[in-house]
Amino acid sequence: MPLFFASNAIYPISIMPGWLRLLSRINPVTYQVDALRALMVAGAASAYGVGFDLSVLLVMTVLLVILGGRLCPRLVT
């Protein structure tokens, strides 16, 4: 829920306080919401560009899979 709140899904980033804007810029859910809004809503434009949104999501997915792969053996034993 905190990641969803800190994205632009509920409130526009422009009305957020400065510290929450910073948090929303590093939040991958922000880019997911931006891409979905641009692809699903007729006439909506992406704030960052759909290609950039998908690139951020791909990089985050790769990093988290690598991190999970490294942590998994430690958690199983």
Side-chain angles (χ1 to χ4, degrees):
M1 191 65 183
L3 287 176
F4 182 72
F5 176 73
S7 71
N8 62 348
I10 301 173
Y11 304 105
I13 294 175
S14 61
I15 66 169
M16 293 181 183
W19 64 271
L20 193 54
R21 278 188 204 154
L22 177 65
L23 187 61
S24 73
R25 299 268 189 234
I26 60 174
N27 182 0
V29 179
T30 298
Y31 300 100
Q32 178 187 8
V33 168
D34 186 55
L36 285 174
R37 190 174 285 143
L39 293 172
M40 295 180 70
V41 177
S46 173
Y48 308 105
V50 175
F52 182 75
D53 292 334
L54 296 177
S55 299
V56 169
L57 293 173
L58 179 65
V59 167
M60 288 302 295
T61 300
V62 168
L63 290 176
L64 291 175
V65 166
I66 290 170
L67 179 66
R70 290 182 183 255
L71 290 176
C72 186
R74 294 180 192 163
L75 298 175
V76 173
T77 58

